[in-house]
Coordinates of all heavy atoms in Angstrom, one line a residue:
Chain A
P43 N -2.7 3.6 4.2 CA -1.2 3.8 4.2 C -0.9 5.2 3.7 O -1.6 5.7 2.8 CB -0.8 2.8 3.2 CG -1.9 1.7 3.1 CD -3.1 2.5 3.3
T44 N 0.1 5.8 4.3 CA 0.6 7.1 3.8 C 2.1 7.0 3.6 O 2.8 6.3 4.3 CB 0.4 8.2 4.8 OG1 1.0 7.8 6.1 CG2 -1.2 8.4 5.1
F45 N 2.5 7.6 2.5 CA 3.9 7.6 2.0 C 4.9 8.1 3.0 O 4.7 9.2 3.5 CB 4.0 8.3 0.7 CG 5.4 8.5 0.2 CD1 6.1 7.5 -0.4 CD2 6.0 9.8 0.2 CE1 7.3 7.7 -0.9 CE2 7.3 9.9 -0.2 CZ 8.0 8.9 -0.8
L46 N 6.0 7.4 3.2 CA 7.1 7.9 4.1 C 8.3 8.2 3.3 O 8.9 9.3 3.4 CB 7.4 6.9 5.2 CG 6.5 6.8 6.3 CD1 7.0 5.7 7.3 CD2 6.3 8.1 7.1
S47 N 8.8 7.2 2.4 CA 10.1 7.4 1.8 C 10.2 6.5 0.7 O 9.4 5.6 0.5 CB 11.2 7.1 2.8 OG 11.2 5.7 3.1
Y48 N 11.2 6.9 -0.2 CA 11.4 6.1 -1.5 C 12.9 6.1 -1.6 O 13.7 7.1 -1.5 CB 10.8 6.8 -2.7 CG 11.2 6.3 -4.0 CD1 10.7 5.2 -4.5 CD2 12.2 7.0 -4.8 CE1 11.0 4.7 -5.7 CE2 12.5 6.5 -6.0 CZ 11.9 5.4 -6.5 OH 12.3 4.8 -7.8
N49 N 13.5 4.9 -1.9 CA 14.9 4.7 -2.2 C 15.0 4.0 -3.5 O 14.3 2.9 -3.7 CB 15.6 3.8 -1.2 CG 15.6 4.5 0.2 OD1 14.6 4.7 0.9 ND2 16.9 4.9 0.6
V50 N 15.9 4.4 -4.4 CA 16.2 3.7 -5.6 C 17.7 3.4 -5.8 O 18.1 2.5 -6.4 CB 15.6 4.3 -6.8 CG1 16.3 5.7 -7.1 CG2 15.6 3.4 -8.1
L51 N 18.5 4.3 -5.1 CA 20.0 4.1 -5.1 C 20.4 3.7 -3.8 O 19.8 3.9 -2.7 CB 20.6 5.4 -5.5 CG 20.3 6.0 -6.9 CD1 21.0 7.3 -7.1 CD2 20.7 5.0 -8.0
D52 N 21.6 3.1 -3.7 CA 22.1 2.6 -2.4 C 22.5 3.7 -1.5 O 22.8 4.8 -2.0 CB 23.4 1.7 -2.6 CG 23.1 0.4 -3.3 OD1 21.9 0.0 -3.4 OD2 24.1 -0.3 -3.7
G53 N 22.2 3.6 -0.2 CA 22.6 4.6 0.7 C 21.4 5.0 1.6 O 20.3 4.4 1.6
L54 N 21.6 6.1 2.3 CA 20.7 6.5 3.3 C 20.0 7.8 2.9 O 20.6 8.7 2.4 CB 21.4 6.8 4.6 CG 20.7 7.1 5.8 CD1 19.9 5.9 6.4 CD2 21.5 7.6 7.0
E55 N 18.7 7.8 3.0 CA 17.8 9.0 2.8 C 17.3 9.5 4.1 O 16.6 8.7 4.8 CB 16.7 8.6 1.8 CG 17.1 8.3 0.4 CD 17.4 9.5 -0.5 OE1 17.1 10.6 -0.1 OE2 18.1 9.3 -1.5
E56 N 17.5 10.7 4.5 CA 17.1 11.3 5.7 C 16.0 12.2 5.5 O 16.0 13.1 4.6 CB 18.2 11.8 6.5 CG 19.3 10.8 6.9 CD 20.4 11.4 7.8 OE1 20.1 11.5 9.0 OE2 21.5 11.8 7.2
K57 N 15.0 12.1 6.3 CA 13.8 13.0 6.3 C 13.3 13.2 7.7 O 12.4 12.5 8.2 CB 12.7 12.4 5.3 CG 11.6 13.3 4.9 CD 10.5 12.6 4.2 CE 11.0 12.2 2.8 NZ 9.9 11.6 1.9
G58 N 13.9 14.2 8.3 CA 13.4 14.6 9.7 C 13.8 13.4 10.7 O 14.9 13.0 10.7
R59 N 12.8 12.9 11.4 CA 13.1 11.8 12.4 C 13.2 10.5 11.7 O 13.6 9.5 12.3 CB 12.0 11.8 13.4 CG 12.0 13.0 14.3 CD 11.0 12.8 15.5 NE 9.6 12.6 15.1 CZ 8.9 11.4 15.2 NH1 9.6 10.4 15.8 NH2 7.7 11.3 14.8
F60 N 12.8 10.4 10.4 CA 12.8 9.2 9.7 C 13.9 9.1 8.7 O 14.2 10.1 8.0 CB 11.5 8.9 9.0 CG 10.3 8.7 9.9 CD1 10.4 8.9 11.3 CD2 9.0 8.4 9.4 CE1 9.3 8.7 12.1 CE2 7.9 8.2 10.2 CZ 8.0 8.4 11.6
S61 N 14.6 8.0 8.6 CA 15.6 7.7 7.6 C 15.3 6.4 7.0 O 14.8 5.4 7.7 CB 17.0 7.7 8.2 OG 17.3 8.9 8.9
S62 N 15.7 6.2 5.7 CA 15.5 4.9 5.1 C 16.8 4.6 4.3 O 17.5 5.4 3.7 CB 14.3 4.9 4.1 OG 14.5 5.9 3.2
F63 N 17.3 3.3 4.5 CA 18.5 2.9 3.9 C 18.2 1.7 2.9 O 17.3 1.0 3.0 CB 19.4 2.4 5.0 CG 20.6 1.6 4.5 CD1 21.8 2.3 4.1 CD2 20.7 0.2 4.3 CE1 22.9 1.8 3.6 CE2 21.8 -0.4 3.9 CZ 22.9 0.4 3.5
L64 N 19.1 1.7 1.8 CA 18.9 0.6 0.8 C 20.3 0.1 0.4 O 21.2 0.8 0.2 CB 18.3 1.2 -0.4 CG 18.1 0.3 -1.6 CD1 17.2 -0.9 -1.4 CD2 17.7 1.0 -2.9
S65 N 20.3 -1.3 0.3 CA 21.4 -1.9 -0.3 C 20.9 -2.9 -1.3 O 20.3 -4.0 -1.0 CB 22.2 -2.8 0.8 OG 23.1 -3.7 0.1

Side-chain angles (χ1 to χ4, degrees):
Chain A
T44 56
F45 170 75
L46 285 178
S47 68
Y48 171 77
N49 295 70
V50 66
L51 299 177
D52 290 350
L54 188 69
E55 294 280 343
E56 297 187 79
K57 192 183 292 186
R59 292 190 300 115
F60 292 7
S61 303
S62 56
F63 172 83
L64 174 67
S65 169

